[in-house]
């Protein structure tokens, strides 16, 4: 019998995939912890609880292959096994996490999942070489229910039953240790439940599984009170302890006195461990009034949030249009009494719209902890493959970042972490010889910096040899030998982001092919971010990834060049200065300007425009790219504006110098420049290439 419609089942499956992803992340983390502390019984139990939940959830959605495999793993996970086999158990758990992940991908695509036969063989080999566990103290019924929690789908089923007016009770029973026919005991208990009401859920689900557990859990819809049910369930020589309470009592946090039968302490096989939940009681109430506690978290599809954010962007454009219209009204009817009213309305609308924008943006923000948690497994696997001993340190996990940006950063950060281990961290013997600890350290840190987020990926390894990088770049024809002499420290280190450049001595499964670091740079450029490097030979390296909080709406500085309107993100602008043509000089075929104690490389956006008179004042917008500053020569400053970024089809704009566009209140289209690309392309063009570069339009 199905309790849900097809639409409801589809929703539950979507919820399952989200929940399963979180469970697998937890399983990876618990597997790593088990590898560090294989003798810790509580770690083993936490792993088993996770596998148990995954088993139940997958079974509820009809994914029997995954459920059966998880069931096999759950049965094998005992503290005794972990003590006997040590880290081997952790390896099987981590291997299971990978197999489960592959099966989930197949289920998402409605494809047939792998059988998991290899994992099944590993589990059985693990168990077969272990002696039978010693008898342990039986978990009493009340204690068992305090550490038990139904899966999300089971909770939904029970909540629906409560909303239909049914009195839902959950029952915990401890099997008598002297009971030798547990399969028969399971059937006797089920028959008793059927006499008392309707059985909604029962764990274990079948009689065969009773041979491996000491506690039985059930949820029934019944009109009988708790005392009567507890009395009927106490079957001599079969059930020695019973605990009954209303479902939802712990969540509702109301005062009550659930029925507790006398606890009998015995010895039996290990009981089924489950997730911990605080068990509280509630007063006896009418059958129709039972309800579960409301949830404070709502899962919303990212596309729906994007749609709302897009509408907010349109409202901002509308605000700009309204501002423009009121400005024109003021010019014609400056003394009209409506002027003050318009100003008040516009001010109120601007405040509400700003609050709305911030609220929607916060919905998209998630802590970077969601990204950092993925790297524990990566560090472990890569270190093992490279023969390194590495520990991972995390900081700034609560720093918020746009979900889309966070997901995009996963790949480049994975490349950086892999390279830090394979290139940066030395072997244990090398580190000891250099006076370091055997364990290398990879540290991930995140923090806000203005309207940006900076993520640091650092290691305490051998550092980056500047001369070695430059030499490789010359050998591969990336730069000329003459150019190498004039490179700054930052320019030399940034050569590692060129495709095909690698300083690895040998090619391995994780590094040395010259791929990866160029992907990092490409992704950061696409995110309108930047990357900088700090390194010291023998001490380690730090990569600074700087990305905007969001990609949808930016504050920008607008200006005109050759009678065309452009904008640059305000976060890239350091300052604006005035200069004359006479103050501009040429060094190595580049135009430069002395700004206080440093020399500023200049970029002309309109290279075909005739230069102004030597005495004419020109505007120079100073922008920062990584650790360097450049100056953009422009004709006229227009002002600051909040712009909604609109993507441009490549058929409309064929240059990579423009990252997007926006529409102003008067309908004018403004092109948003990719500062990194502008400086990279135009700033290094030689004098003889000026005419071929063309105007930006």
């Amino acid at each position: 019998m199905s309790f849900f419609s097809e639409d409801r089942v589809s929703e539950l499956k979507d919820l399952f995939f989200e929940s399963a992803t979180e469970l697998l992340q937890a399983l990876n983390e618990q597997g790593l912890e088990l590898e560090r502390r294989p003798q810790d019984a509580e770690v083993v139990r936490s792993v088993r609880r996770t596998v148990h939940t995954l088993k139940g959830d997958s079974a509820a959605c009809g994914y029997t292959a995954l459920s059966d495999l998880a069931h096999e793993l759950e049965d094998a996970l005992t503290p005794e096994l972990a003590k006997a086999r040590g880290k081997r158990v952790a390896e099987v758990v981590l291997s299971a996490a990978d197999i489960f992940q592959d099966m989930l991908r197949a289920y998402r695509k409605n494809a047939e999942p792998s059988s998991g036969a290899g994992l099944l063989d590993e589990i059985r080999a693990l168990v077969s070489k272990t002696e039978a566990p010693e008898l342990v103290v039986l978990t009493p019924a009340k204690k068992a229910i305090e550490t038990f929690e139904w899966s999300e789908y089971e909770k939904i089923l029970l909540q629906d039953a409560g909303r239909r007016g049914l009195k839902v009770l959950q029952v915990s029973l401890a099997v008598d240790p002297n009971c030798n026919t547990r399969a028969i005991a399971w059937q006797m208990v089920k028959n008793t439940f059927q006499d008392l009401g309707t059985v909604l859920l029962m764990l274990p689900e079948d009689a065969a599984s009773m041979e491996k557990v000491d506690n039985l859990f059930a949820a029934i819809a019944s009109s009988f009170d708790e005392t009567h049910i507890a009395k009927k369930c106490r079957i001599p020589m079969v059930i020695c302890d019973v605990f009954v309470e209303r479902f939802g009592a712990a969540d509702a946090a109301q005062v009550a006195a659930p029925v507790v039968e006398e606890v009998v302490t015995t010895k039996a096989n290990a009981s089924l461990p489950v997730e911990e939940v605080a068990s509280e009681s509630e007063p006896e109430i009418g059958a129709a009034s039972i309800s579960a506690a409301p949830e404070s978290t709502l899962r919303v599809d990212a596309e729906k949030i994007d749609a709302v954010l897009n509408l907010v962007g349109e409202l901002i454009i509308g605000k700009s249009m309204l501002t423009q219209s009121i400005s024109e009204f003021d010019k014609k009817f400056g003394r009209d009494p409506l002027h003050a009213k318009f100003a008040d309305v516009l001010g109120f609308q601007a405040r509400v719209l700003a609050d709305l924008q911030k609220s929607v943006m916060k919905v998209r923000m998630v802590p970077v902890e969601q990204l950092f948690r993925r790297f524990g497994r990566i560090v472990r696997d890569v270190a093992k493959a490279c023969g390194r001993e590495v520990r991972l340190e995390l900081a700034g996990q609560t720093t918020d970042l746009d979900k889309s940006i966070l997901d995009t950063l996963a790949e480049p950060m994975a490349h950086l972490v892999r390279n830090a281990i394979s290139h940066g961290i030395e072997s244990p013997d090398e580190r000891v010889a250099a006076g370091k600890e055997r364990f290398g350290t990879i540290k991930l840190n995140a923090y806000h910096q203005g309207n940006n987020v900076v993520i640091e990926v650092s290691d305490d390894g051998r550092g980056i040899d500047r001369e070695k990088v430059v030499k490789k770049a010359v050998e591969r024809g990336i730069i000329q030998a003459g150019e190498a002499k004039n490179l700054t420290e930052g320019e030399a280190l940034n050569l590692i982001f060129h495709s095909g450049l690698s300083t690895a001595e040998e090619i391995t499964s994780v590094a040395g092919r010259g791929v990866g670091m160029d992907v990092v740079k490409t992704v950061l450029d696409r995110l309108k971010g930047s990357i900088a490097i700090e390194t010291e030979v023998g001490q380690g390296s730090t990569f600074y990834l700087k990305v905007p909080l969001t990609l949808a709406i930016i504050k920008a500085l607008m200006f005109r060049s050759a009678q065309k309107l452009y904008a640059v993100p305000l976060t890239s602008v350091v300052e604006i200065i005035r200069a004359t043509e006479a103050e501009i000089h040429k060094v190595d075929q580049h135009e430069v300007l002395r700004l206080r104690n440093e020399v500023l490389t200049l970029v002309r956006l309109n290279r075909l425009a005739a230069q102004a008179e030597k005495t004419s004042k020109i505007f120079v917008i100073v922008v920062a790219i990584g650790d360097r500053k450049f100056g953009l020569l422009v004709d006229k400053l227009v002002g600051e504006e909040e712009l909604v970024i609109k993507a441009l089809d490549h058929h409309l704009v064929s240059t990579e110098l423009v990252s997007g566009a926006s529409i102003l209140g008067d309908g004018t289209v403004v092109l948003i420049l990719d500062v990194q690309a502008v400086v990279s392309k135009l700033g290094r063009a030689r004098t003889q290439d000026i005419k071929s570069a063309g105007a930006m339009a």
Side-chain angles (χ1 to χ4, degrees):
M1 176 182 175
S2 175
F3 284 86
F4 309 111
S5 64
E6 290 185 8
D7 291 341
R8 186 64 167 154
V9 169
S10 178
E11 291 178 11
L12 289 176
K13 286 187 176 181
D14 290 339
L15 180 60
F16 163 73
F17 287 125
E18 294 179 16
S19 174
T21 300
E22 296 171 1
L23 288 171
L24 289 183
Q25 178 61 49
L27 190 60
N28 273 305
E29 294 171 359
Q30 292 163 351
L32 295 174
E33 188 65 22
L34 184 61
E35 193 171 49
R36 289 189 288 268
R37 298 188 290 157
Q39 306 299 318
D40 193 323
E42 186 53 41
V43 176
V44 179
R45 294 190 184 99
S46 67
V47 175
R48 192 171 177 183
R49 284 195 292 269
T50 300
V51 175
H52 171 76
T53 303
L54 183 63
K55 178 194 74 172
D57 290 355
S58 55
C61 288
Y63 300 136
T64 55
L66 175 56
S67 178
D68 292 345
L69 200 55
H71 183 72
E72 290 284 346
L73 179 60
E74 179 190 4
D75 285 346
L77 289 171
T78 63
E80 293 76 22
L81 179 69
K83 289 180 181 179
R85 303 304 307 277
K87 294 184 178 180
R88 177 61 186 148
V89 177
E91 291 178 2
V92 173
V93 169
L94 293 174
S95 177
D98 293 337
I99 297 296
F100 293 159
Q101 184 67 60
D102 291 339
M103 296 178 81
L104 281 177
R105 291 195 189 100
Y107 286 133
R108 281 182 183 274
K109 299 176 182 177
N110 292 319
E112 189 67 25
S114 62
S115 64
L119 175 62
L120 195 58
D121 292 340
E122 286 187 66
I123 295 171
R124 289 173 178 171
L126 198 65
V127 175
S128 64
K129 296 180 181 180
T130 308
E131 296 180 359
E134 295 181 2
L135 297 179
V136 295
V137 176
L138 170 71
T139 303
K142 182 180 179 182
K143 182 66 174 178
I145 201 67
E146 288 176 349
T147 57
F148 176 78
E149 185 176 15
W150 300 105
S151 71
E152 287 295 326
Y153 311 99
E154 292 165 342
K155 285 181 180 177
I156 292 172
L157 188 151
L158 299 181
Q159 290 166 1
D160 283 351
R163 281 191 284 269
R164 293 200 304 272
L166 300 177
K167 178 182 176 183
V168 181
L169 299 167
Q170 55 185 11
V171 186
S172 172
L173 306 98
V175 181
D176 193 307
N178 299 316
C179 179
N180 297 320
T181 55
R182 298 195 172 207
I184 297 177
W186 182 88
Q187 190 60 52
M188 292 176 67
V189 170
K190 184 176 182 180
N191 292 340
T192 302
F193 284 153
Q194 289 174 341
D195 292 338
L196 295 170
T198 302
V199 181
L200 302 176
L201 294 169
M202 192 167 172
L203 292 175
E205 298 171 344
D206 54 65
S209 302
M210 274 298 295
E211 299 296 334
K212 303 170 183 177
V213 300
D214 286 330
N215 292 89
L216 190 150
F217 305 94
I220 64 174
S222 175
S223 59
F224 292 104
D225 60 30
E226 291 88 334
T227 303
H228 180 78
I229 292 174
K231 183 177 180 180
K232 287 292 184 181
C233 288
R234 190 177 179 84
I235 306 171
M237 303 300 294
V238 175
I239 301 298
C240 63
D241 188 27
V242 182
F243 179 85
V244 186
E245 69 174 352
R246 292 288 290 272
F247 172 73
D251 292 335
Q254 297 176 0
V255 180
V259 176
V260 184
E261 287 289 304
E262 181 183 359
V263 173
V264 180
T265 304
T266 60
K267 288 189 176 182
N269 293 329
S271 59
L272 175 66
V274 283
E275 294 189 7
E276 295 184 1
V277 148
S279 177
E280 298 181 13
S281 52
E282 67 174 11
E284 187 170 359
I285 54 180
S289 62
I290 182 71
S291 63
E295 296 183 4
S296 60
T297 302
L298 178 66
R299 293 180 184 269
V300 180
D301 191 283
E303 292 183 359
K304 294 180 180 179
I305 300 175
D306 289 339
V308 175
L309 187 59
N310 185 60
L311 291 175
V312 172
E314 297 299 324
L315 285 174
I316 291 175
I317 294 175
K319 182 193 75 172
S320 180
M321 296 171 64
L322 184 59
T323 302
Q324 181 75 20
S325 299
I326 292 178
S327 176
E328 294 175 2
F329 178 85
D330 289 345
K331 290 178 182 178
K332 293 183 178 180
F333 310 102
R335 296 183 180 181
D336 195 294
L338 287 175
H339 168 73
K341 291 184 178 181
F342 283 152
D344 291 341
V345 170
L346 185 62
F348 174 76
Q349 186 219 35
R351 288 193 301 273
V352 173
L353 190 54
D355 290 342
L356 176 61
Q357 178 190 339
K358 290 178 182 177
S359 297
V360 176
M361 294 308 304
K362 285 180 180 179
V363 172
R364 286 194 57 89
M365 296 295 177
V366 295
V368 296
E369 179 187 17
Q370 292 189 15
L371 176 62
F372 285 1
R373 288 176 61 190
R374 307 177 190 179
F375 291 99
R377 179 70 188 277
I378 292 176
V379 168
R380 180 260 187 193
D381 290 347
V382 176
K384 190 173 182 180
C386 297
R388 306 288 196 266
E389 295 181 12
V390 185
R391 57 179 164 233
L392 177 66
E393 294 183 1
L394 304 179
Q397 298 100 306
T398 58
T399 304
D400 288 337
L401 186 61
D402 189 292
K403 180 67 165 62
S404 62
I405 297 178
L406 184 139
D407 290 340
T408 307
L409 284 175
E411 182 181 3
M413 284 191 62
H415 282 303
L416 291 177
V417 169
R418 289 191 187 100
N419 280 355
I421 298 172
S422 59
H423 289 356
I425 302 294
E426 310 93 333
S427 67
D429 292 341
E430 286 181 81
R431 292 182 64 84
V432 171
K436 298 181 178 180
E437 294 181 346
R438 288 181 61 85
F439 278 86
T441 301
I442 301 290
K443 184 174 181 179
L444 304 180
N445 184 26
Y447 51 88
H448 288 105
Q449 190 178 84
N451 289 323
N452 295 283
V453 170
V454 177
I455 297 179
E456 297 178 2
V457 181
S458 59
D459 67 79
D460 63 348
R462 58 172 61 94
I464 301 175
D465 189 330
R466 178 190 186 277
E467 299 305 322
K468 193 174 181 180
V469 171
V470 174
K471 182 180 177 181
K472 285 280 187 180
V474 173
E475 290 175 359
R476 294 186 178 274
I478 295 173
I479 59 171
Q480 301 298 318
E483 293 180 85
K485 299 177 182 179
N486 299 323
L487 293 176
T488 64
E489 183 75 11
E491 289 173 333
L493 293 175
N494 285 338
L495 289 171
I496 68 174
F497 297 115
H498 281 271
S499 178
L501 181 65
S502 175
T503 58
E505 300 295 339
E506 60 180 346
I507 294 177
T508 68
S509 61
V510 294
R513 294 177 174 80
V515 297
M517 298 304 284
D518 59 317
V519 173
V520 175
K521 185 67 166 56
T522 300
V523 172
L524 265 295
D525 289 346
R526 190 167 69 243
L527 291 175
K528 302 175 184 63
S530 61
I531 184 168
I533 309 171
E534 280 187 5
T535 186
E536 184 177 348
V537 176
Q539 300 301 314
S541 306
T542 300
F543 289 79
Y544 298 90
L545 285 68
K546 188 175 183 180
V547 294
L549 279 172
T550 178
L551 299 177
I553 301 170
I554 64 168
K555 288 187 179 295
L557 176 65
M558 296 191 299
F559 58 87
R560 290 190 178 276
S561 181
Q563 300 181 353
K564 293 181 175 62
L565 187 62
Y566 300 101
V568 292
L570 202 57
T571 53
S572 300
V573 178
V574 178
E575 61 179 311
I576 302 172
I577 60 174
R578 296 289 297 270
T580 63
E581 287 285 351
E583 295 174 308
I584 298 175
H585 307 282
K586 282 191 176 181
V587 177
D588 291 337
Q589 306 299 326
H590 291 87
E591 290 185 309
V592 298
L593 173 70
R594 178 172 291 279
L595 177 63
R596 293 183 285 276
N597 296 324
E598 59 182 324
V599 176
L600 198 67
T601 302
L602 301 179
V603 177
R604 288 185 186 269
L605 297 180
N606 183 14
R607 290 191 169 279
L608 295 183
Q611 292 187 351
E613 297 293 331
K614 291 290 183 180
T615 56
S616 299
K617 286 284 186 179
I618 55 178
F619 290 99
V620 180
I621 301 175
V622 182
V623 295
I625 306 295
D627 58 347
R628 297 196 60 190
K629 294 179 181 179
F630 295 86
L632 302 179
L633 296 178
V634 303
D635 298 336
K636 180 182 179 182
L637 295 178
V638 177
E640 297 179 14
E641 187 75 35
E642 195 171 46
L643 300 179
V644 179
I645 301 177
K646 300 290 185 181
L648 288 176
D649 190 284
H650 67 278
H651 296 299
L652 298 176
V653 178
S654 59
T655 176
E656 70 275 17
L657 306 185
V658 174
S659 62
S662 187
I663 303 173
L664 301 183
D666 59 359
T668 304
V669 175
V670 53
L671 296 179
I672 302 170
L673 298 181
D674 185 331
V675 178
Q676 177 83 27
V678 170
V679 171
S680 177
K681 184 171 184 178
L682 299 185
R684 298 192 177 282
R686 295 182 178 278
T687 304
Q688 58 265 35
D689 297 330
I690 289 178
K691 291 186 179 180
S692 60
M696 287 203 54

